């Protein structure tokens, strides 16, 4: 496949069957390999889309500074695109995200403002909003509320999935900005009667949540609960276990958040088997495992891995 | 075999500090009634007039029961129920945003 530039090679990622992980010939799992995007994650889609929309409406002009709260992948995608297009990028990032992500962002030329670990991404969002107030010329694309995020999936990921798997019955993805689930979910709901749209939300230990007031919860502006049909909460132990199964059974080296997605996909598969119903379950591999090797999730026992992930933002 | 119920720190005052307790019942609501007989006060913290309290999330085998049948969700032996404070507020969205 030939493209004019790296940016042009975005999307059209492979959908691969998972014969060993699928419970039966009638209940099958499919993985959409979004790590095969220009910077290695699904976030290239919304990042590029948001930049292009901001360029089109004149908010973003050469030499501008882009500001974004991100714990990694979106920042990496934006940094790549910003370098090629001549923008400066400032990322606000929780200090408890992995070292690899920090190094990659720096390598692609982004400036990083750390936010306190205790507040998670919510705190990063709060700090970023404060910075735009102090620097009115900076452009915050704001992935949590930017319609371009969900649209990238409504117009890209969703149609690709339906083209490759017309018989799709379930779509499963991680719940973060909610852009993937909202975009693909809306598209599939319009095209596939009875489609299940399943969210897998990472569940963190009380070290991450404990210090926060319950009322301070942050709901991304993009989120519309009515698009979802199921929502799973997956802890680090199950996420790591499924990440390892995906590698051992199918050879796919995915990031830890994908393990949480696999866990939810297998939960839906089990229910289909119990109900005696056929199912074609597609899920998103958001990125590969490289950026998470230093978390300790990929070696030793599950107990070891679970302990090491305590207090880390692993998804 | 019974249903294992994981209790968050904030509610362990009702379970004598236990992280997990066991109970029986055909539905989540019946299970909570059964737990109440041994852990008085717990039901009040989970249900309000028969509905799940706003700032409590309950998961059946990791699946949010609000997307199933709420307190009426059927449970069976061997299932795992997890109770969590709802950090995002009620049945709200992502407790922590994306990558």
């Amino acid at each position: 496949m030939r493209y004019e530039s790296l940016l042009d090679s975005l999307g059209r990622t492979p959908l691969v069957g998972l014969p060993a992980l699928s419970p039966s010939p009638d209940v099958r799992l499919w993985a959409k390999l979004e790590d095969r995007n220009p910077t290695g994650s699904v976030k290239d889609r919304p990042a590029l889309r948001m930049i292009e929309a901001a360029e089109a409406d004149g908010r973003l002009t050469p030499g501008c500074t882009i500001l974004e709260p991100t714990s990694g992948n979106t920042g990496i995608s934006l940094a790549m695109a910003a370098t090629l297009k001549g923008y400066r990028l400032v990322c606000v990032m929780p200090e408890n995200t992995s070292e690899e992500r920090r190094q990659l962002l720096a390598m692609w030329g982004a400036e990083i403002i750390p936010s306190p670990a205790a507040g998670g991404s919510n705190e990063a969002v709060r700090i970023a909003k404060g910075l735009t107030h102090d620097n009115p010329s900076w452009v915050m694309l704001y992935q949590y509320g930017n319609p371009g995020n969900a649209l990238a999936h409504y117009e890209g990921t969703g149609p690709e999935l339906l083209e490759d798997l017309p018989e799709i019955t379930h779509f499963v993805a991680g719940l973060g900005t909610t852009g993937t689930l909202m975009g693909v979910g809306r598209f599939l709901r319009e095209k596939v009667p009875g489609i299940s749209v399943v969210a897998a939300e990472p569940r963190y230990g009380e070290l991450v949540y404990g210090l926060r007031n319950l009322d301070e919860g942050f709901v991304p502006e993009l989120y519309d609960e009515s698009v979802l049909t199921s929502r799973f909460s997956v802890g680090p132990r199950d996420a790591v276990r499924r990440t390892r199964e995906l590698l051992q059974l199918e050879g796919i080296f995915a990031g830890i958040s994908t393990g949480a997605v696999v866990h939810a996909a297998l939960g839906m598969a089990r229910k289909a088997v119990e109900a005696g119903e056929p199912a074609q379950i597609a899920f998103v591999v958001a990125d590969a495992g490289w950026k998470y090797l230093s978390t300790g999730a990929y070696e030793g026992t599950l107990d070891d891995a679970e302990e090491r992930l305590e207090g880390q933002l692993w998804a | 075999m019974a249903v294992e119920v994981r209790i968050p720190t904030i509610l362990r005052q009702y379970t004598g500090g236990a992280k997990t307790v066991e109970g029986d019942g055909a539905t989540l609501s019946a299970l909570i009634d059964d737990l109440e007989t041994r852990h008085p006060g717990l039901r009040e913290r989970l249900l309000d007039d028969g509905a799940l309290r706003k700032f409590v999330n309950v998961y059946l085998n990791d699946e949010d029961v609000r997307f199933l049948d709420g307190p009426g969700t059927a449970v069976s032996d061997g299932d795992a129920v997890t109770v969590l404070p709802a950090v995002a507020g009620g049945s709200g969205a992502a407790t922590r945003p994306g990558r």
Side-chain angles (χ1 to χ4, degrees):
Chain A
M1 211 80 91
R2 169 173 154 167
Y3 302 97
E4 289 302 308
S5 76
L6 182 64
L7 291 180
D8 293 305
S9 72
L10 177 89
R12 277 267 36 128
T13 52
L15 183 71
V16 301
L18 306 177
L21 208 58
S22 299
S24 80
D26 293 329
V27 177
R28 298 188 64 184
L29 296 168
W30 301 85
K32 183 128 174 96
L33 304 183
E34 289 297 308
D35 60 307
R36 310 278 188 94
N37 273 306
T39 71
S41 89
V42 66
K43 295 296 191 178
D44 286 339
R45 294 178 188 263
L48 202 60
R49 175 62 189 242
M50 291 188 298
I51 284 182
E52 283 170 355
E55 285 171 336
D57 68 19
R59 268 205 308 153
L60 205 52
T61 49
C64 270
T65 295
I66 299 174
L67 171 75
E68 189 67 16
T70 163
S71 59
N73 282 335
T74 300
I76 291 167
S77 301
L78 289 173
M80 181 272 291
T83 298
L84 298 184
K85 288 168 170 283
Y87 306 118
R88 171 181 173 227
L89 176 67
V90 177
C91 290
V92 183
M93 183 157 138
E95 61 191 357
N96 53 339
T97 47
S98 78
E99 179 58 28
E100 290 92 330
R101 289 189 261 192
R102 203 165 298 282
Q103 288 190 20
L104 280 166
L105 274 174
M107 225 178 69
W108 257 296
E111 292 158 49
I112 299 167
I113 297 176
S115 61
S121 294
N122 299 358
E123 183 64 11
V125 169
R126 200 187 62 75
I127 289 176
K129 284 181 172 169
L131 282 168
T132 51
H133 188 261
D134 299 338
N135 301 275
S137 70
W138 291 10
V139 177
M140 180 154 83
L141 297 172
Y142 193 58
Q143 55 176 336
Y144 306 104
N146 190 320
N149 179 355
L151 269 176
H153 297 291
Y154 182 88
E155 293 172 355
T157 323
E160 289 174 26
L161 272 166
L162 189 60
E163 188 185 334
D164 290 338
L165 191 66
E167 61 274 49
I168 187 170
T169 58
H170 297 69
F171 172 70
V172 190
L175 189 70
T177 68
T178 76
T180 310
L181 281 157
M182 294 303 109
V184 175
R186 284 201 184 98
F187 175 82
L188 290 177
R189 275 175 169 273
E190 287 169 12
K191 306 284 179 184
V192 183
I195 184 87
S196 293
V197 180
V198 181
E201 179 184 11
R203 179 157 80 229
Y204 293 106
E206 301 187 13
L207 280 181
V208 177
Y209 289 138
L211 301 170
R212 284 156 51 196
N213 184 316
L214 292 191
D215 293 336
E216 284 176 353
F218 169 75
V219 180
E221 288 83 344
L222 289 178
Y223 184 66
D224 173 3
E225 185 174 280
S226 70
V227 176
L228 303 182
T229 57
S230 307
R231 183 165 163 171
F232 283 74
S233 165
V234 186
R237 188 183 185 85
D238 286 319
V240 168
R241 179 162 65 95
R242 300 307 194 186
T243 304
R244 293 179 178 192
E245 281 178 20
L246 191 60
L247 193 147
Q248 282 149 11
L249 295 173
E250 302 286 357
I252 296 173
F253 175 47
I256 309 164
S257 74
T258 299
V261 172
V262 170
H263 187 69
L266 285 170
M268 297 310 290
R270 188 177 60 108
K271 293 213 288 191
V273 169
E274 284 170 5
E277 289 167 0
Q280 300 287 333
I281 303 168
F283 65 85
V284 170
V285 174
D287 63 1
W290 301 106
K291 291 189 291 285
Y292 313 98
L293 286 174
S294 72
T295 62
Y298 295 83
E299 61 181 351
T301 64
L302 275 182
D303 285 340
D304 292 341
E306 189 179 12
E307 197 175 312
R308 290 192 207 106
L309 286 178
E310 180 72 32
Q312 293 194 55
L313 289 176
W314 47 264
Chain B
M1 212 160 51
V3 178
E4 183 190 86
V5 183
R6 281 174 237 165
I7 306 290
T9 310
I10 195 170
L11 295 181
R12 285 179 202 157
Q13 55 185 293
Y14 302 101
T15 61
K19 283 170 97 165
T20 62
V21 294
E22 289 198 343
D24 285 299
T27 62
L28 180 62
S29 170
L31 173 69
I32 292 172
D33 286 344
D34 179 51
L35 293 178
E36 178 72 16
T37 62
R38 290 179 302 286
H39 311 289
L42 193 57
R43 179 170 52 199
E44 168 75 17
R45 294 297 300 274
L46 301 180
L47 300 177
D48 179 19
D49 208 10
L52 271 182
R53 278 196 178 277
K54 195 177 173 204
F55 292 111
V56 169
N57 280 343
V58 178
Y59 300 89
L60 173 66
N61 301 325
D62 297 323
E63 190 174 356
D64 189 338
V65 300
R66 283 195 171 86
F67 287 87
L68 298 167
D69 297 319
T73 301
V75 296
S76 11
D77 279 357
D79 281 346
V81 169
T82 304
V83 178
L84 286 179
V87 213
S91 57
T95 49
R96 72 143 290 274
R99 290 163 291 277

